[in-house]
Amino acid sequence: MALPLAPIAAVAVKYGALALAGYALARQVRPGHIAQPLEDALDDVPEGICLTRPRDADQINGTARLRRTIRLGHGGRGVELDAAFLARVKLRWV
């Protein structure tokens, strides 16, 4: 019995191209590092959203933090989500 190679070749080309793109992307990403002062600043962000606009600066500073515990079932394992964001937007008329 003959094995049809055309459908297998099409799938192999598609997933091979996807694997090659993933490999190329992984080669382009630089390794990061953790800066402890920045980690401490993110830990100090209060929960919720806050916007601040200093009078002497032409910028708006914003912070946001979300802390939640997600459980699977009543007594199941949980995952704690802690997301903190710092933002600065500068607007200047030119």
Side-chain angles (χ1 to χ4, degrees), residues 19-63:
L20 183 63
Y23 177 73
L25 181 66
R27 297 281 295 168
Q28 294 296 321
V29 174
R30 294 182 292 148
H33 68 282
I34 296 175
Q36 193 58 45
L38 298 178
E39 289 287 324
D40 294 339
L42 289 172
D43 288 339
D44 292 339
V45 172
E47 192 168 354
I49 299 173
C50 178
L51 291 174
T52 305
R53 182 168 183 243
R55 294 195 181 271
D56 59 344
D58 294 333
Q59 69 185 28
I60 296 173
N61 300 333
T63 62

